[in-house]
Amino acid sequence: MANPEHPRLILHNFLSLDLCKELEFIHKSCGTVGYRPNVFSTTLSHLIATNCGHLIMPFVPIRERLKEKAEEFFGCEFELFVEFTGLISWSTGASIGWHSDDNRPYLKQRDFAAVCYLNSHGEDFKGGLFHFQDWQPATIVPMAGDVVMYTADSRNIHSVDEITGGERLTLTLWFTRDGSHDEDAKLISFLSERQLHHSIHETRSFLPHPASSRMYWFPPDTASTYESGFDICFARLNALGYDLYSPQCRSCLSALDLSNDLSETLMVPLRLARENELFDEEFVNILHVLQAVQFYCWKASELQTSPLDKKIHVVPLSPSQKEQVNRLKHMFLKDEGLAGTHFSSTIASECNQQPFDWSRFSAAATGWEAYCNKLGRSSSHRILIRSSTLPVLRKPGTGCVFEDEVCFPFAYGDVKI
Ligand SMILES: O=C(O)CCC(=O)C(=O)O
Ligand SMILES: [Fe+2]
């Protein structure tokens, strides 16, 4: 039963560690600079906008479980809509003072919050403890798999200490009773819009389409964009020991071009380099590279290669290729030290647990494709989302039954509404 003065709930091990890792993979390969300093985020609409709608699949059952839990605990069965879902990471320097989550006129629709911790204090980051101003528990130490739920109003004023190292990652949801703020309805309409633009003759593809390069530039200060700071995708690759080579990078041929708008430079085919070796496979753009690399990080320990595998082709970097690799680095990592502060400190716990191996990396690139295909194609993974305009029939204890269903094979295939 909720304490009516401070209604809040702590759930330990609500999410499996596997699921936490999967969501970490999605965030580290799809995230953008966020809404506050030193904060990065991945929203569901951003996944759709970058042709990664299939990556919404892992969120679907979690959203439903969290909504049911909130309805049960706060005593509002069948009343809630998800208002916002996002993966949010905080790096060194990020913090938030005392506040309630509905403390702005445009946030008044928020009734409840659910913050799911996807990694752990002490192991993955330092600082970042959560505090409630009144009542118990006064402090929550974020641990992977745990969830805190609370009302978004002034009965649950809270704060988060500054992050002093590493990256703190959460899956954060807000719930509302106001159907006009239903996130599902917005996602459905965004998806159908995208589908209309999707030619029926186009072959199915899970290749990501990067958003505007400004969304990946840190710090997100428009005035200084590209003159200081760094590209977060590039910085994540660099922190893991990778370099990029662009076979057709025109803007990096001349030092004079360094002040140009860089938006197209990482949206073209790229190749991956490591130390003095160049991997002989082309990726369509930087997000494609990053997804393969982060998939390798996620799955490195499970990837099997056999001596019968075809030989992985890696060639030495030529001096001119090396020069171009360095130019790209200079363009996208203006402030390498700053990039290191935000992304390097967690690498010990990532894929560096075993020595790097190109054949395992190649297996990861293939595995990434199979993973995307599975998410996108499997009919058992089809997303069932109710449109806010459809009347809903609910049966207590059995979840929801809809008079009609809106069925989305996310991002691909036919849409039935
Ligand atoms: O990440 C957390 O623990 C809470 C974050 C928070 O208070 C917010 O985003 O409003
Ligand atoms: Fe908050």
Side-chain angles (χ1 to χ4, degrees):
M1 258 286 283
N3 169 351
E5 282 170 33
H6 305 288
R8 61 185 68 149
L9 172 68
I10 319 295
L11 298 160
H12 293 287
N13 304 313
F14 189 77
L15 301 184
S16 72
L17 294 183
D18 278 354
L19 192 54
C20 294
K21 288 279 167 211
E22 184 170 15
L23 296 177
E24 180 180 3
F25 153 72
I26 293 174
H27 181 65
K28 290 189 170 175
S29 56
C30 301
T32 63
V33 288
Y35 55 101
R36 291 160 51 81
N38 309 325
V39 169
F40 305 88
S41 68
T42 308
T43 62
L44 302 190
S45 55
H46 177 73
L47 290 176
I48 296 170
T50 50
N51 202 37
C52 296
H54 51 285
L55 295 179
I56 291 179
M57 293 296 186
F59 293 83
V60 175
I62 316 171
R63 284 163 99 244
E64 209 47 42
R65 278 177 70 206
L66 287 166
K67 182 157 73 76
E68 276 173 17
K69 201 74 196 171
E71 289 178 332
E72 177 196 319
F73 183 74
F74 297 110
C76 45
E77 269 96 349
F78 315 126
E79 284 178 28
L80 297 185
F81 301 88
V82 177
E83 188 249 6
F84 173 89
T85 309
L87 295 169
I88 301 178
S89 68
W90 300 30
S91 61
T92 303
S95 69
I96 189 165
W98 296 120
H99 69 282
S100 65
D101 286 353
D102 67 352
N103 66 353
R104 297 274 185 281
Y106 58 87
L107 300 178
K108 284 290 168 217
Q109 71 281 0
R110 291 185 173 174
D111 290 307
F112 306 101
V115 180
C116 311
Y117 297 107
L118 302 182
N119 64 6
S120 300
H121 170 84
E123 257 170 63
D124 304 295
F125 60 90
K126 291 189 271 174
L129 298 182
F130 177 106
H131 304 285
F132 281 116
Q133 195 172 47
D134 303 300
W135 200 244
Q136 302 296 323
T139 296
I140 292 172
V141 179
M143 297 304 282
D146 291 356
V147 176
V148 54
M149 283 188 187
Y150 50 88
T151 57
D153 57 22
S154 58
R155 290 174 294 174
N156 280 305
I157 305 278
H158 57 282
S159 68
V160 179
D161 293 344
E162 184 175 324
I163 310 301
T164 53
E167 274 183 273
R168 177 189 193 269
L169 179 61
T170 61
L171 167 66
T172 300
L173 282 85
W174 280 282
F175 300 100
T176 180
R177 289 191 178 87
D178 180 349
S180 69
H181 288 275
D182 180 4
E183 185 182 49
D184 290 358
K186 291 177 191 160
L187 295 175
I188 285 171
S189 113
F190 189 24
L191 265 168
S192 27
E193 216 177 276
R194 300 276 307 178
Q195 296 254 341
L196 287 175
H197 288 96
H198 200 266
S199 155
I200 47 165
H201 302 297
E202 218 173 293
T203 48
R204 284 179 173 202
S205 162
F206 300 103
L207 296 173
H209 299 165
S212 150
S213 54
R214 284 175 186 269
M215 294 186 74
Y216 304 107
W217 197 269
F218 181 99
D221 169 5
T222 327
S224 71
T225 300
Y226 309 136
E227 283 158 30
S228 61
F230 57 87
D231 177 277
I232 62 168
C233 304
F234 203 101
R236 284 203 184 276
L237 291 171
N238 195 257
L240 294 167
Y242 299 91
D243 283 312
L244 284 179
Y245 172 71
S246 169
Q248 60 186 66
C249 175
R250 270 181 241 108
S251 55
C252 32
L253 294 178
S254 154
L256 292 175
D257 288 329
L258 290 185
S259 59
N260 282 358
D261 176 15
L262 306 181
S263 29
E264 293 302 310
T265 313
L266 298 178
M267 316 266 185
V268 296
L270 295 166
R271 285 171 64 185
L272 201 52
R274 201 175 164 89
E275 291 166 0
N276 283 322
E277 292 181 323
L278 187 62
F279 184 50
D280 196 19
E281 238 177 71
E282 222 165 68
F283 294 87
V284 297
N285 56 47
I286 184 146
L287 275 196
H288 186 202
V289 180
L290 190 59
Q291 289 201 6
V293 164
Q294 296 292 352
F295 190 85
Y296 173 74
C297 284
W298 174 30
K299 296 284 187 188
S301 59
E302 297 165 33
L303 291 165
Q304 303 289 337
T305 55
S306 88
L308 298 176
D309 284 353
K310 73 174 176 11
K311 193 158 165 31
I312 304 308
H313 203 54
V314 182
V315 293
L317 272 174
S318 73
S320 69
Q321 287 172 330
K322 221 180 271 180
E323 198 186 318
Q324 201 242 50
V325 160
N326 287 333
R327 278 217 186 113
L328 268 186
K329 198 160 158 178
H330 182 68
M331 290 165 82
F332 289 95
L333 278 186
K334 287 275 155 38
D335 192 337
E336 206 175 337
L338 186 66
T341 307
H342 291 283
F343 295 137
S344 319
S345 46
T346 52
I347 56 171
S349 60
E350 288 180 9
C351 44
N352 284 10
Q353 281 166 355
Q354 42 195 330
F356 180 79
D357 173 352
W358 279 115
S359 54
R360 209 175 303 119
F361 178 81
S362 182
T366 310
W368 167 80
E369 228 173 297
Y371 168 77
C372 292
N373 272 306
K374 188 172 146 227
L375 289 186
R377 295 230 177 100
S378 157
S379 56
S380 62
H381 280 77
R382 285 180 159 214
I383 288 181
L384 297 172
I385 297 181
R386 115 186 90 86
S387 154
S388 57
T389 57
L390 295 174
V392 179
L393 293 173
R394 307 203 183 228
K395 289 184 183 165
T398 58
C400 304
V401 176
F402 307 119
E403 277 188 6
D404 199 354
E405 275 174 344
V406 181
C407 176
F408 270 98
F410 255 64
Y412 306 99
D414 305 325
V415 178
K416 183 189 96 188
I417 299 186

